[in-house]
């Protein structure tokens, strides 16, 4: 699918607080934990648990969320299809970052090993 300008705008205005409960429900239904979800969020964004909660409380948009994040240097290794979009083909930086997070949550829910999800390089 092709990402449209309208889709990018919708992503920017979407609040992290509105999506977070869905992430949590998705991973917990599959036997994963809130702590594992936060580990994934921390890896991608650099936010600790307190900062994640602050952003939820502030009802921060994804635009604000990712503007304040320090993306992990290996985030570009997140590839594949999520919600019908091939991540590596998304031109809009913010939309790609949101899809990175979606993909990590999806991998967590599917039972993938944490070292694979966090793109740990083999020594």
């Amino acid at each position: 699918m092709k990402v449209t300008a309208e889709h990018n705008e919708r992503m920017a205005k979407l609040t992290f607080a509105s999506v977070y409960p869905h992430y949590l429900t998705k991973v917990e239904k599959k036997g994963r934990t809130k702590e594992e979800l936060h580990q994934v969020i921390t890896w991608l964004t650099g936010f600790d648990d307190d900062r994640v909660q602050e952003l939820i409380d502030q009802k921060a948009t994804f635009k604000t969320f990712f503007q304040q994040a320090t993306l992990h240097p290996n985030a570009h290794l997140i590839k594949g299809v999520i919600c019908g979009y091939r991540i590596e083909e998304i031109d809009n930086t913010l939309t790609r970052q949101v899809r990175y997070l979606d993909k990590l949550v999806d991998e967590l829910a599917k039972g993938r090993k944490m070292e694979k999800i966090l793109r740990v390089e083999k020594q």
Side-chain angles (χ1 to χ4, degrees):
M1 274 196 284
K2 187 74 179 140
V3 178
T4 64
E6 293 80 17
H7 180 263
N8 291 333
E9 188 64 28
R10 197 169 60 245
M11 285 292 194
K13 290 180 179 176
L14 196 61
T15 64
F16 177 69
S18 70
V19 178
Y20 176 82
H22 299 289
Y23 288 157
L24 186 57
T25 300
K26 182 175 188 168
V27 300
E28 286 181 338
K29 265 191 199 173
K30 299 293 184 166
R32 301 306 283 258
T33 65
K34 179 179 180 178
E35 290 74 25
E36 288 173 308
L37 174 61
H38 280 241
Q39 185 179 354
V40 165
I41 294 169
T42 296
W43 178 86
L44 181 63
T45 64
F47 297 143
D48 63 15
D49 290 353
D50 291 338
R51 187 68 184 124
V52 169
Q53 190 58 54
E54 286 173 14
L55 290 162
I56 290 170
D57 294 343
Q58 294 169 5
K59 297 190 180 354
T61 63
F62 270 119
K63 182 176 182 178
T64 301
F65 182 87
F66 280 105
Q67 281 175 339
Q68 295 179 15
T70 304
L71 226 55
H72 192 281
N74 287 347
H76 69 281
L77 298 174
I78 303 167
K79 298 185 184 324
V81 177
I82 189 74
C83 303
Y85 299 96
R86 180 154 291 285
I87 294 171
E88 55 271 31
E89 294 175 0
I90 298 173
D91 294 332
N92 182 279
T93 302
L94 176 61
T95 301
R96 187 172 53 250
Q97 291 170 342
V98 173
R99 293 304 182 194
Y100 282 163
L101 183 55
D102 290 344
K103 184 70 173 174
L104 294 177
V105 171
D106 196 51
E107 290 176 355
L108 184 64
K110 286 182 177 174
R112 197 161 193 216
K113 290 182 181 175
M114 195 58 82
E115 60 268 13
K116 296 257 188 208
I117 295 169
L118 303 184
R119 278 46 182 190
V120 175
E121 293 187 41
K122 292 183 178 155
Q123 302 297 333

